[in-house]
Every structure is written in C-alpha cells, then in structure tokens.
Amino acid sequence: MLSQDELLDLAESIKAEGQHRPIVLDADGVLLDGRNRLAACEIAGVEPRFTTYTGDKTTALIFSNNVFRRHITKGQEAMITVMACSVSGHSLRDLAKTHGLSRTRLSAANVVLKHLPDLAEQVRIGAFPLDEAYEAAREHKAKTEAIQEKLGSLTEQAPDLAKQVIEGHLTLDDAITTLEERQERHRVRKQITDADELRLADGHTGLPLAQLAENGDITWDQAHQQAEQFLTQRRIAIHHTQRAIEQAAQHWPAIRSLLSRPDTAFARDVHADLSPEAREMTAHLVTPN
C-alpha cells in the first residue's frame, strides 16, 4: 500500500482528473490489482471503475501490474523481477530489457533468491539492501559448496560416516576427524607390514611386528616405533655399504692386480701389513683356478 500522504495525493488526482486505470477483479469479484486506486476512490468520494479479468494466469497478472513502482529501489525491483519469473512466464532477459534493469543486478538477486531465500524476502520488502544480501549469499554459497565437497569426499571414502552425518548422528567435522584417524591407523599399520616384509626379505628371524601387536605382546605404537627404527637403520646401512663399495671400486685395479697373483712374494708382502678384516676380504675375492 501507498503511504497515507501518497494515498491522499492519488485521491486528489482521481478527483481532479478521473481514474485512469480500472481496478481489476476476477470472475468471482476478488481484487487482483488496484487496491490503492480503490482506497483513493473511497477517500475522494468517486465511484471506482472496475474491469473483470477473464484469463487463467491471475498470478502472472498480479506480478506484471505490481512489480515496478516508483517508490521501490532498483534492488527491490531486481528481486521482485527474479521472483516473478517463476510464475509470470517471462524470461529474465525479457523483463530486464523491458524494465531497464541491469543483468548484473538481476544476477545478484538470483543468487540471493537461490541461496538465501529468507534474505531475498527482506530485500523484496526493502528491509535489506541487495548488495549486502548478495555478499552474504555468495559467502553462504561458498560455505555450502565446501560442505558438499567435503561430504562428497566423505561419502566416497567412508560411506558409513557420511550416512551418520546425513542422519544427524554425527557432525561433518567430527566425521572428517574420525576418517583422518582411520587413515592414520591404516598408514601406520601399512608401514609396519612393509617393514615386516623387508625384515623377512633381508633374512631377519623372529615374529613379525604386526603379529606381535595383534597378539598384544607390544602395542601398535611400539610396533610402529620399532618399524621406523628398523627402516632408518636399514637406510643408513645401505648408504654406508654403498659408499664402501664405491671406495673399493676406485681402488679395484690395484686389488685386481693382487688377486691375479695370489701365491707370489708380492701378494705375501701386501698381506703382511693388512688387518685381519682386509685379509679375510681378499681371501673371499680370490677365485679358485
């Protein structure tokens, strides 16, 4: 409705110039458009002029006659237009062109209506500016999309946890934490199993660490710690052995010369000042004829 002052102005206009547009009723006499004109006619003491709508799209008629008013903002116009599109049968592009509204403003209104419909109603009635509502809707949209992405990932990796979230038995954050704990346990146990396979391949004897943990002889944390220690020590041993072999390779021509004449005075003189470990090594390297 118009304000009281606006109604009085309209009443004066109708009294002086007559009623330019008829008041629209449906076939049952229900008012579809023109309540301000009807009220102004009563104030002016003028017999109102009516017309009857005979079509079957009363909602579209109401929107088309009431979407645009001089006393509402462009943001309100944009929001009302977006709301009207779903029932008026007109496209957003056509309404924008007809009423001179920017595509940007209409797009902003559409985002608000889609993602924050309650706030869209506040924009429509002028209680909240469109620009601020759009920023709030964008933020809400981003958060919603992030939540959906997390829920989709959770559904793929842990359907049981996703089901609890959907049913309201578990929050999404708690479900993600539970999943991460599961994944960490799986990572730890795989590392222990991999270490056990290497220990077996390297010729180590004794029960596997995973079996000791399953039996309760040690905890899984202790098994993990021992597995990490084994892997670290193994990497160090491999590195040291590689360096030793590389150093031996650098002197291989001299060693090969020794090995080619093991029973000579030269060989005996070389071995005379070697450590027991070095003599043992050369003994292993001598190839029998």
Side-chain angles (χ1 to χ4, degrees):
M1 289 295 294
L2 297 176
S3 66
Q4 187 63 30
D5 289 341
E6 289 172 323
L7 273 176
L8 290 175
D9 289 342
L10 180 58
E12 288 295 327
S13 174
I14 289 175
K15 188 173 183 179
E17 302 174 11
Q19 181 185 338
H20 296 299
R21 294 175 56 197
I23 298 164
V24 183
L25 307 176
D26 67 7
D28 297 322
V30 177
L31 179 67
L32 298 180
D33 178 64
R35 59 178 179 169
N36 284 309
R37 273 166 278 156
L38 180 60
C41 286
E42 292 176 356
I43 294 172
V46 175
E47 185 68 25
R49 182 164 53 90
F50 297 96
T51 186
T52 301
Y53 176 69
T54 57
D56 58 356
K57 296 181 179 180
T58 56
T59 304
L61 173 72
I62 292 170
F63 270 116
S64 64
N65 287 337
N66 290 277
V67 164
F68 297 96
R69 299 299 187 192
R70 287 175 298 174
H71 62 287
I72 65 176
T73 66
K74 289 294 184 181
Q76 287 177 272
E77 288 185 5
M79 184 58 68
I80 295 170
T81 300
V82 169
M83 290 176 168
C85 280
S86 61
V87 293
S88 68
H90 296 94
S91 70
L92 204 60
R93 176 181 297 180
D94 290 341
L95 288 173
K97 183 177 180 180
T98 300
H99 300 287
L101 286 171
S102 72
R103 297 272 187 90
T104 300
R105 187 174 281 114
L106 287 172
S107 177
N110 201 38
V111 170
V112 176
L113 182 62
K114 182 178 180 180
H115 297 284
L116 287 177
D118 291 342
L119 193 56
E121 176 62 17
Q122 295 299 306
V123 174
R124 185 191 71 80
I125 64 176
F128 205 88
L130 176 60
D131 290 344
E132 293 182 23
Y134 174 61
E135 290 303 321
R138 284 184 60 193
E139 183 177 346
H140 178 77
K141 177 185 176 184
K143 289 181 179 179
T144 300
E145 290 175 348
I147 290 172
Q148 290 302 320
E149 184 177 353
K150 290 180 179 179
L151 184 58
S153 177
L154 183 67
T155 301
E156 182 179 347
Q157 298 180 69
D160 59 320
L161 295 178
K163 182 179 180 182
Q164 292 185 57
V165 172
I166 294 171
E167 293 176 349
H169 303 309
L170 196 64
T171 67
L172 181 57
D173 288 342
D174 287 343
I176 291 174
T177 299
T178 301
L179 174 60
E180 290 173 347
E181 291 172 350
R182 284 184 185 178
Q183 292 172 333
E184 177 61 15
R185 285 196 300 271
H186 176 75
R187 185 193 69 79
V188 166
R189 297 193 180 194
K190 185 178 185 306
Q191 189 174 22
I192 294 171
T193 301
D194 291 344
D196 282 336
E197 291 177 356
L198 280 176
R199 291 173 75 246
L200 180 62
D202 288 348
H204 289 264
T205 58
L207 289 176
L209 297 173
Q211 186 174 342
L212 291 173
E214 291 284 359
N215 294 341
D217 298 324
I218 59 176
T219 66
W220 282 102
D221 285 341
Q222 289 171 331
H224 184 223
Q225 184 178 7
Q226 292 183 35
E228 287 189 323
Q229 289 173 349
F230 163 73
L231 292 172
T232 299
Q233 292 169 357
R234 188 176 186 273
R235 284 192 295 269
I236 293 172
I238 289 173
H239 177 68
H240 286 170
T241 304
Q242 288 172 336
R243 289 188 61 187
I245 293 174
E246 290 292 344
Q247 290 172 358
Q250 292 176 8
H251 301 285
W252 179 246
I255 298 173
R256 184 168 52 191
S257 174
L258 172 67
L259 298 179
S260 65
R261 41 184 175 172
D263 297 325
T264 64
F266 174 80
R268 288 193 295 272
D269 289 342
V270 170
H271 281 93
D273 293 326
L274 289 178
S275 65
E277 292 81 6
R279 286 198 296 271
E280 181 182 2
M281 182 189 74
T282 57
H284 281 294
L285 291 174
V286 173
T287 303
N289 292 329

Coordinates of all heavy atoms in Angstrom, one line a residue, residues 181-260:
E181 N 41.6 -40.2 11.5 CA 42.1 -41.1 12.5 C 42.2 -42.5 11.8 O 43.2 -43.2 12.0 CB 41.3 -41.1 13.7 CG 41.4 -39.8 14.5 CD 40.4 -39.8 15.7 OE1 39.5 -40.7 15.7 OE2 40.5 -38.9 16.5
R182 N 41.2 -42.9 11.1 CA 41.2 -44.2 10.4 C 42.4 -44.3 9.4 O 43.1 -45.3 9.4 CB 39.9 -44.4 9.7 CG 38.7 -44.8 10.5 CD 37.5 -45.1 9.6 NE 36.3 -45.3 10.3 CZ 35.1 -45.6 9.7 NH1 35.1 -45.5 8.4 NH2 34.1 -45.8 10.4
Q183 N 42.5 -43.2 8.7 CA 43.5 -43.2 7.6 C 44.9 -43.3 8.3 O 45.8 -43.9 7.7 CB 43.4 -42.0 6.8 CG 42.1 -42.0 5.9 CD 41.9 -40.7 5.2 OE1 42.3 -39.6 5.7 NE2 41.2 -40.7 4.0
E184 N 45.1 -42.6 9.4 CA 46.4 -42.6 10.1 C 46.7 -44.0 10.6 O 47.8 -44.5 10.5 CB 46.4 -41.6 11.2 CG 47.7 -41.6 12.1 CD 48.9 -41.2 11.3 OE1 48.8 -40.7 10.1 OE2 50.0 -41.5 11.8
R185 N 45.7 -44.7 11.2 CA 45.9 -46.0 11.6 C 46.2 -47.0 10.5 O 47.1 -47.8 10.6 CB 44.6 -46.6 12.3 CG 44.4 -46.0 13.7 CD 43.4 -46.8 14.5 NE 42.1 -46.9 13.8 CZ 41.1 -46.0 14.0 NH1 41.3 -45.0 14.9 NH2 39.9 -46.1 13.4
H186 N 45.6 -46.8 9.4 CA 45.9 -47.6 8.2 C 47.3 -47.3 7.7 O 48.0 -48.3 7.3 CB 44.9 -47.3 7.1 CG 45.2 -48.0 5.8 ND1 44.9 -49.3 5.6 CD2 45.7 -47.5 4.6 CE1 45.3 -49.7 4.4 NE2 45.8 -48.6 3.8
R187 N 47.7 -46.1 7.7 CA 49.1 -45.7 7.2 C 50.1 -46.3 8.2 O 51.1 -46.9 7.7 CB 49.2 -44.2 7.2 CG 50.6 -43.7 6.7 CD 50.8 -42.3 7.0 NE 51.0 -42.0 8.4 CZ 52.2 -42.2 9.0 NH1 53.2 -42.7 8.4 NH2 52.3 -42.0 10.3
V188 N 49.9 -46.3 9.5 CA 50.8 -46.8 10.4 C 50.9 -48.3 10.3 O 52.0 -48.9 10.2 CB 50.4 -46.5 11.9 CG1 51.1 -47.3 12.9 CG2 50.6 -45.0 12.1
R189 N 49.8 -49.0 10.1 CA 49.8 -50.5 10.0 C 50.4 -50.9 8.7 O 51.1 -52.0 8.7 CB 48.4 -51.0 10.2 CG 47.8 -50.7 11.6 CD 46.6 -51.5 11.9 NE 46.1 -51.1 13.3 CZ 45.3 -51.8 14.0 NH1 44.8 -52.9 13.5 NH2 44.9 -51.4 15.2
K190 N 50.2 -50.2 7.7 CA 50.9 -50.5 6.4 C 52.4 -50.3 6.5 O 53.1 -51.1 6.0 CB 50.3 -49.6 5.3 CG 50.9 -50.0 3.9 CD 50.3 -49.1 2.8 CE 50.7 -49.6 1.4 NZ 52.2 -49.7 1.3
Q191 N 52.8 -49.3 7.2 CA 54.3 -49.1 7.4 C 54.9 -50.2 8.2 O 56.0 -50.7 7.9 CB 54.5 -47.8 8.1 CG 56.0 -47.4 8.1 CD 56.2 -46.0 8.7 OE1 55.4 -45.5 9.4 NE2 57.4 -45.4 8.4
I192 N 54.1 -50.7 9.2 CA 54.6 -51.8 10.0 C 54.7 -53.1 9.1 O 55.7 -53.9 9.1 CB 53.7 -52.1 11.2 CG1 53.8 -50.9 12.2 CG2 54.1 -53.4 11.9 CD1 52.8 -50.9 13.3
T193 N 53.6 -53.3 8.3 CA 53.6 -54.5 7.4 C 54.7 -54.4 6.4 O 55.4 -55.5 6.1 CB 52.2 -54.6 6.7 OG1 51.2 -54.7 7.7 CG2 52.2 -55.8 5.8
D194 N 55.0 -53.3 5.8 CA 56.0 -53.1 4.8 C 57.4 -53.4 5.5 O 58.3 -54.0 4.9 CB 56.0 -51.7 4.3 CG 54.8 -51.4 3.4 OD1 54.2 -52.4 3.0 OD2 54.5 -50.3 3.1
A195 N 57.6 -52.9 6.7 CA 58.8 -53.2 7.4 C 59.0 -54.7 7.7 O 60.1 -55.2 7.6 CB 58.8 -52.4 8.7
D196 N 57.9 -55.3 8.1 CA 58.0 -56.8 8.3 C 58.4 -57.5 7.0 O 59.2 -58.5 7.1 CB 56.6 -57.3 8.8 CG 56.3 -57.0 10.2 OD1 57.3 -56.8 11.0 OD2 55.2 -57.0 10.6
E197 N 57.9 -57.1 5.9 CA 58.2 -57.8 4.6 C 59.7 -57.6 4.3 O 60.4 -58.5 3.8 CB 57.3 -57.2 3.5 CG 55.9 -57.6 3.6 CD 55.0 -57.0 2.5 OE1 55.5 -56.2 1.8 OE2 53.8 -57.3 2.5
L198 N 60.2 -56.4 4.6 CA 61.6 -56.1 4.3 C 62.5 -56.9 5.3 O 63.6 -57.5 4.9 CB 61.9 -54.6 4.5 CG 61.6 -53.8 3.3 CD1 61.8 -52.3 3.6 CD2 62.4 -54.2 2.1
R199 N 62.1 -57.0 6.6 CA 62.9 -57.8 7.5 C 63.0 -59.2 7.1 O 64.0 -59.9 7.2 CB 62.3 -57.7 8.9 CG 62.4 -56.3 9.5 CD 61.6 -56.1 10.8 NE 62.3 -56.8 12.0 CZ 61.8 -57.8 12.6 NH1 60.6 -58.4 12.2 NH2 62.4 -58.4 13.6
L200 N 61.8 -59.8 6.6 CA 61.8 -61.2 6.2 C 62.7 -61.4 4.9 O 63.5 -62.3 4.8 CB 60.4 -61.6 5.9 CG 60.2 -63.0 5.4 CD1 60.6 -64.0 6.4 CD2 58.7 -63.3 5.0
A201 N 62.6 -60.4 4.0 CA 63.4 -60.5 2.8 C 64.9 -60.3 3.1 O 65.7 -60.9 2.4 CB 62.9 -59.4 1.8
D202 N 65.2 -59.6 4.1 CA 66.6 -59.4 4.5 C 67.2 -60.5 5.3 O 68.4 -60.5 5.6 CB 66.8 -58.1 5.3 CG 66.6 -56.8 4.4 OD1 66.6 -57.0 3.2 OD2 66.5 -55.7 5.0
G203 N 66.3 -61.5 5.6 CA 66.8 -62.7 6.4 C 66.7 -62.6 7.9 O 67.2 -63.4 8.6
H204 N 65.9 -61.6 8.4 CA 65.8 -61.5 9.8 C 64.8 -62.6 10.3 O 63.9 -63.0 9.6 CB 65.2 -60.1 10.2 CG 66.1 -59.0 10.0 ND1 66.9 -58.5 11.1 CD2 66.5 -58.3 9.0 CE1 67.6 -57.5 10.7 NE2 67.4 -57.4 9.4
T205 N 65.1 -63.1 11.5 CA 64.2 -64.1 12.1 C 63.4 -63.5 13.2 O 63.6 -62.3 13.6 CB 65.1 -65.2 12.7 OG1 66.0 -64.7 13.6 CG2 65.8 -65.9 11.5
G206 N 62.4 -64.2 13.7 CA 61.6 -63.7 14.8 C 60.2 -63.3 14.2 O 60.0 -63.2 13.0
L207 N 59.3 -63.2 15.1 CA 57.9 -62.9 14.7 C 57.8 -61.5 14.1 O 58.5 -60.6 14.6 CB 57.0 -63.0 16.0 CG 56.7 -64.4 16.5 CD1 55.8 -64.3 17.8 CD2 56.0 -65.3 15.5
P208 N 56.9 -61.3 13.1 CA 56.7 -60.0 12.6 C 56.1 -59.1 13.6 O 55.4 -59.5 14.6 CB 55.7 -60.3 11.5 CG 55.8 -61.7 11.1 CD 56.2 -62.4 12.4
L209 N 56.5 -57.8 13.5 CA 56.0 -56.8 14.4 C 54.5 -56.7 14.4 O 53.9 -56.5 15.5 CB 56.6 -55.4 14.1 CG 58.1 -55.3 14.1 CD1 58.6 -53.9 13.6 CD2 58.6 -55.4 15.6
A210 N 53.8 -56.8 13.3 CA 52.4 -56.8 13.2 C 51.7 -57.9 14.0 O 50.7 -57.7 14.7 CB 51.9 -56.8 11.8
Q211 N 52.4 -59.1 13.9 CA 51.8 -60.2 14.7 C 52.0 -60.0 16.2 O 51.1 -60.4 17.0 CB 52.6 -61.5 14.2 CG 52.0 -62.8 14.9 CD 52.6 -64.0 14.3 OE1 53.2 -64.0 13.2 NE2 52.4 -65.1 15.0
L212 N 53.2 -59.5 16.6 CA 53.4 -59.2 18.0 C 52.3 -58.2 18.5 O 51.8 -58.3 19.6 CB 54.8 -58.6 18.2 CG 55.9 -59.6 18.0 CD1 57.3 -58.8 18.1 CD2 55.9 -60.7 19.1
A213 N 52.0 -57.2 17.7 CA 51.0 -56.2 18.1 C 49.6 -56.9 18.1 O 48.8 -56.6 19.0 CB 51.0 -55.0 17.1
E214 N 49.3 -57.7 17.1 CA 48.0 -58.4 17.1 C 47.8 -59.3 18.4 O 46.8 -59.4 18.9 CB 47.8 -59.3 15.9 CG 47.7 -58.4 14.6 CD 46.3 -57.9 14.4 OE1 45.4 -58.1 15.3 OE2 46.1 -57.1 13.4
N215 N 48.9 -59.9 18.7 CA 48.9 -60.8 19.9 C 48.9 -60.1 21.2 O 48.6 -60.7 22.3 CB 50.1 -61.7 19.9 CG 50.1 -62.7 18.7 OD1 49.1 -62.9 18.1 ND2 51.3 -63.3 18.4
G216 N 49.1 -58.8 21.2 CA 49.1 -58.0 22.4 C 50.5 -58.0 23.2 O 50.6 -57.5 24.3
D217 N 51.5 -58.6 22.5 CA 52.8 -58.6 23.2 C 53.4 -57.2 23.2 O 54.2 -56.9 24.1 CB 53.8 -59.5 22.4 CG 53.3 -61.0 22.5 OD1 52.7 -61.4 23.5 OD2 53.4 -61.7 21.4
I218 N 53.1 -56.4 22.2 CA 53.5 -55.0 22.2 C 52.3 -54.2 21.7 O 51.4 -54.7 21.1 CB 54.8 -54.7 21.3 CG1 54.5 -55.2 19.8 CG2 56.0 -55.4 21.8 CD1 55.6 -54.8 18.9
T219 N 52.3 -52.9 21.9 CA 51.3 -52.0 21.4 C 51.6 -51.7 19.9 O 52.7 -51.9 19.4 CB 51.2 -50.7 22.2 OG1 52.4 -50.0 22.0 CG2 51.0 -51.0 23.7
W220 N 50.5 -51.2 19.2 CA 50.7 -50.8 17.9 C 51.7 -49.6 17.8 O 52.5 -49.5 16.8 CB 49.4 -50.4 17.2 CG 48.6 -51.7 16.8 CD1 47.5 -52.2 17.5 CD2 48.8 -52.5 15.7 NE1 47.1 -53.3 16.8 CE2 47.9 -53.5 15.7 CE3 49.8 -52.5 14.7 CZ2 47.8 -54.5 14.8 CZ3 49.7 -53.5 13.7 CH2 48.8 -54.5 13.7
D221 N 51.6 -48.7 18.8 CA 52.6 -47.6 18.8 C 54.0 -48.1 18.9 O 54.9 -47.6 18.3 CB 52.3 -46.7 20.0 CG 51.0 -45.8 19.7 OD1 50.6 -45.7 18.5 OD2 50.5 -45.3 20.7
Q222 N 54.2 -49.1 19.8 CA 55.6 -49.7 19.9 C 56.0 -50.4 18.6 O 57.2 -50.3 18.2 CB 55.6 -50.7 21.1 CG 55.5 -50.0 22.5 CD 55.3 -51.0 23.6 OE1 54.7 -52.1 23.4 NE2 55.7 -50.6 24.8
A223 N 55.1 -51.1 18.0 CA 55.4 -51.8 16.7 C 55.8 -50.7 15.7 O 56.7 -50.9 14.9 CB 54.2 -52.6 16.3
H224 N 55.1 -49.6 15.7 CA 55.3 -48.6 14.7 C 56.7 -48.0 15.0 O 57.5 -47.7 14.0 CB 54.2 -47.5 14.8 CG 54.4 -46.4 13.8 ND1 54.2 -45.1 14.1 CD2 54.8 -46.5 12.5 CE1 54.5 -44.4 13.0 NE2 54.8 -45.2 12.0
Q225 N 57.0 -47.7 16.2 CA 58.3 -47.1 16.6 C 59.5 -48.1 16.2 O 60.5 -47.6 15.6 CB 58.4 -46.9 18.1 CG 59.6 -46.2 18.6 CD 59.6 -45.9 20.1 OE1 58.7 -46.3 20.8 NE2 60.6 -45.2 20.5
Q226 N 59.3 -49.4 16.4 CA 60.3 -50.3 16.1 C 60.5 -50.4 14.5 O 61.6 -50.6 14.0 CB 60.0 -51.7 16.7 CG 60.2 -51.8 18.2 CD 59.9 -53.1 18.7 OE1 60.3 -54.1 18.1 NE2 59.3 -53.2 19.9
A227 N 59.3 -50.4 13.9 CA 59.4 -50.4 12.4 C 60.1 -49.2 11.8 O 61.0 -49.3 10.9 CB 58.0 -50.4 11.8
E228 N 59.9 -48.0 12.4 CA 60.6 -46.8 11.9 C 62.1 -46.9 12.2 O 62.9 -46.5 11.4 CB 60.0 -45.6 12.6 CG 58.6 -45.2 12.0 CD 58.1 -43.9 12.5 OE1 58.4 -43.6 13.7 OE2 57.5 -43.1 11.8
Q229 N 62.4 -47.4 13.4 CA 63.8 -47.6 13.8 C 64.5 -48.6 12.8 O 65.6 -48.3 12.3 CB 64.0 -48.1 15.2 CG 63.6 -47.1 16.3 CD 63.6 -47.7 17.7 OE1 63.6 -48.9 17.8 NE2 63.5 -46.8 18.7
F230 N 63.8 -49.7 12.5 CA 64.4 -50.6 11.5 C 64.6 -50.0 10.2 O 65.7 -50.2 9.6 CB 63.5 -51.9 11.4 CG 63.8 -52.7 10.2 CD1 64.9 -53.5 10.1 CD2 62.9 -52.7 9.1 CE1 65.2 -54.3 9.0 CE2 63.2 -53.4 8.0 CZ 64.3 -54.2 7.9
L231 N 63.6 -49.3 9.7 CA 63.7 -48.7 8.3 C 64.8 -47.6 8.3 O 65.6 -47.5 7.3 CB 62.4 -48.0 8.0 CG 61.2 -49.0 7.7 CD1 59.9 -48.3 7.5 CD2 61.5 -49.9 6.5
T232 N 65.0 -46.9 9.4 CA 66.0 -45.8 9.5 C 67.4 -46.5 9.5 O 68.3 -46.1 8.7 CB 65.8 -45.0 10.7 OG1 64.6 -44.3 10.6 CG2 66.9 -43.9 10.8
Q233 N 67.6 -47.5 10.3 CA 68.8 -48.2 10.4 C 69.2 -48.9 9.1 O 70.3 -48.9 8.7 CB 68.8 -49.2 11.5 CG 68.8 -48.6 12.9 CD 68.5 -49.5 14.0 OE1 68.2 -50.7 13.8 NE2 68.4 -49.1 15.3
R234 N 68.2 -49.4 8.4 CA 68.4 -50.1 7.1 C 68.9 -49.1 6.1 O 69.8 -49.4 5.3 CB 67.1 -50.8 6.7 CG 67.2 -51.7 5.5 CD 65.9 -52.4 5.2 NE 66.1 -53.4 4.1 CZ 65.9 -53.1 2.8 NH1 65.7 -51.8 2.4 NH2 66.1 -54.1 1.9
R235 N 68.2 -47.9 6.0 CA 68.6 -46.9 5.1 C 70.1 -46.5 5.3 O 70.9 -46.3 4.4 CB 67.7 -45.7 5.1 CG 66.4 -45.9 4.5 CD 65.6 -44.6 4.3 NE 65.3 -44.0 5.6 CZ 64.1 -44.2 6.2 NH1 63.2 -45.1 5.7 NH2 63.9 -43.7 7.4
I236 N 70.4 -46.3 6.6 CA 71.8 -45.9 6.9 C 72.8 -47.0 6.5 O 73.9 -46.7 6.0 CB 71.9 -45.6 8.5 CG1 71.1 -44.4 8.8 CG2 73.4 -45.4 8.9 CD1 71.0 -44.1 10.3
A237 N 72.5 -48.3 6.8 CA 73.3 -49.4 6.5 C 73.5 -49.5 5.0 O 74.7 -49.7 4.5 CB 72.8 -50.7 7.0
I238 N 72.5 -49.3 4.2 CA 72.6 -49.4 2.8 C 73.5 -48.3 2.2 O 74.3 -48.5 1.4 CB 71.2 -49.2 2.1 CG1 70.4 -50.5 2.4 CG2 71.3 -49.0 0.6 CD1 68.9 -50.5 1.9
H239 N 73.3 -47.1 2.8 CA 74.1 -45.9 2.4 C 75.6 -46.2 2.7 O 76.5 -45.9 1.8 CB 73.7 -44.7 3.1 CG 74.5 -43.4 2.8 ND1 74.5 -42.9 1.5 CD2 75.3 -42.7 3.6 CE1 75.3 -41.8 1.5 NE2 75.8 -41.7 2.8
H240 N 75.9 -46.6 3.9 CA 77.3 -46.9 4.2 C 77.9 -48.0 3.4 O 79.1 -47.9 2.9 CB 77.4 -47.3 5.7 CG 77.2 -46.1 6.6 ND1 77.0 -46.3 8.0 CD2 77.1 -44.8 6.4 CE1 76.9 -45.1 8.6 NE2 76.9 -44.2 7.6
T241 N 77.1 -49.1 3.1 CA 77.6 -50.2 2.3 C 77.9 -49.7 0.9 O 78.9 -50.0 0.2 CB 76.6 -51.3 2.3 OG1 76.4 -51.7 3.6 CG2 77.2 -52.5 1.5
Q242 N 77.0 -48.9 0.3 CA 77.2 -48.3 -1.0 C 78.5 -47.5 -1.1 O 79.2 -47.6 -2.0 CB 76.0 -47.5 -1.4 CG 74.8 -48.3 -1.7 CD 73.5 -47.4 -1.9 OE1 73.5 -46.3 -1.4 NE2 72.5 -48.0 -2.6
R243 N 78.7 -46.7 -0.1 CA 79.9 -45.8 0.0 C 81.2 -46.7 0.0 O 82.2 -46.4 -0.6 CB 79.9 -44.9 1.2 CG 78.9 -43.8 1.0 CD 79.0 -42.8 2.2 NE 80.4 -42.1 2.1 CZ 80.8 -41.3 3.1 NH1 80.1 -41.1 4.2 NH2 82.0 -40.8 3.0
A244 N 81.1 -47.8 0.8 CA 82.3 -48.7 0.9 C 82.6 -49.3 -0.4 O 83.7 -49.5 -0.8 CB 82.0 -49.7 2.0
I245 N 81.5 -49.8 -1.1 CA 81.7 -50.4 -2.4 C 82.3 -49.5 -3.4 O 83.1 -49.8 -4.2 CB 80.4 -51.0 -2.8 CG1 80.0 -52.2 -1.9 CG2 80.5 -51.5 -4.3 CD1 78.6 -52.8 -2.2
E246 N 81.7 -48.2 -3.4 CA 82.2 -47.2 -4.3 C 83.7 -46.9 -4.0 O 84.5 -46.8 -5.0 CB 81.4 -45.9 -4.1 CG 80.0 -46.0 -4.6 CD 79.9 -46.1 -6.1 OE1 80.9 -45.9 -6.8 OE2 78.8 -46.5 -6.6
Q247 N 84.1 -46.9 -2.8 CA 85.5 -46.6 -2.4 C 86.4 -47.8 -2.9 O 87.5 -47.6 -3.4 CB 85.7 -46.4 -0.9 CG 85.1 -45.1 -0.5 CD 85.1 -45.0 1.0 OE1 85.5 -45.9 1.8 NE2 84.6 -43.8 1.5
A248 N 85.9 -49.0 -2.7 CA 86.6 -50.2 -3.1 C 86.8 -50.2 -4.7 O 87.8 -50.6 -5.2 CB 85.9 -51.5 -2.7
A249 N 85.7 -49.8 -5.3 CA 85.7 -49.8 -6.8 C 86.8 -48.8 -7.3 O 87.4 -49.0 -8.4 CB 84.3 -49.4 -7.3
Q250 N 87.0 -47.7 -6.6 CA 88.0 -46.7 -7.0 C 89.4 -47.4 -7.0 O 90.3 -47.0 -7.8 CB 88.0 -45.5 -6.1 CG 86.7 -44.7 -6.2 CD 86.7 -43.5 -5.3 OE1 87.6 -43.3 -4.6 NE2 85.5 -42.8 -5.2
H251 N 89.6 -48.3 -6.1 CA 90.9 -49.0 -6.0 C 90.9 -50.4 -6.6 O 91.9 -51.2 -6.3 CB 91.3 -49.1 -4.5 CG 91.4 -47.7 -3.9 ND1 92.5 -46.8 -4.1 CD2 90.6 -47.1 -3.0 CE1 92.2 -45.7 -3.4 NE2 91.1 -45.9 -2.7
W252 N 89.9 -50.7 -7.3 CA 89.8 -52.1 -7.9 C 91.0 -52.5 -8.8 O 91.4 -53.6 -8.7 CB 88.5 -52.2 -8.6 CG 88.3 -53.6 -9.2 CD1 88.2 -53.9 -10.5 CD2 88.2 -54.8 -8.5 NE1 88.0 -55.2 -10.7 CE2 88.0 -55.8 -9.4 CE3 88.2 -55.1 -7.1 CZ2 87.8 -57.1 -9.1 CZ3 88.0 -56.4 -6.8 CH2 87.9 -57.4 -7.7
P253 N 91.5 -51.6 -9.6 CA 92.7 -52.1 -10.4 C 93.8 -52.6 -9.6 O 94.4 -53.7 -9.9 CB 93.1 -50.8 -11.2 CG 91.8 -50.0 -11.2 CD 91.1 -50.3 -10.0
A254 N 94.1 -52.0 -8.5 CA 95.2 -52.5 -7.6 C 94.8 -53.8 -7.0 O 95.7 -54.7 -6.8 CB 95.6 -51.4 -6.5
I255 N 93.6 -53.9 -6.5 CA 93.1 -55.1 -5.9 C 93.1 -56.3 -6.9 O 93.5 -57.4 -6.6 CB 91.7 -54.9 -5.3 CG1 91.7 -53.9 -4.2 CG2 91.2 -56.2 -4.7 CD1 90.4 -53.5 -3.6
R256 N 92.7 -56.0 -8.1 CA 92.6 -57.0 -9.1 C 94.0 -57.5 -9.5 O 94.2 -58.7 -9.7 CB 91.9 -56.4 -10.4 CG 91.8 -57.5 -11.5 CD 90.8 -56.9 -12.6 NE 91.3 -55.6 -13.0 CZ 90.5 -54.8 -13.8 NH1 89.3 -55.2 -14.1 NH2 91.0 -53.6 -14.1
S257 N 95.0 -56.6 -9.4 CA 96.4 -57.0 -9.7 C 96.9 -57.9 -8.6 O 97.6 -58.9 -8.9 CB 97.3 -55.7 -9.7 OG 98.7 -56.1 -9.8
L258 N 96.5 -57.7 -7.4 CA 96.8 -58.6 -6.3 C 96.2 -60.0 -6.5 O 96.8 -61.0 -6.3 CB 96.4 -58.0 -4.9 CG 96.6 -58.9 -3.7 CD1 98.0 -59.2 -3.4 CD2 95.9 -58.3 -2.5
L259 N 94.9 -59.9 -6.8 CA 94.2 -61.2 -7.0 C 94.7 -62.1 -8.1 O 94.5 -63.3 -8.1 CB 92.7 -60.9 -7.2 CG 92.0 -60.2 -6.0 CD1 90.5 -59.9 -6.4 CD2 92.1 -60.9 -4.7
S260 N 95.3 -61.4 -9.1 CA 95.8 -62.2 -10.2 C 97.1 -63.0 -9.9 O 97.5 -63.9 -10.7 CB 96.1 -61.2 -11.4 OG 97.1 -60.3 -11.1

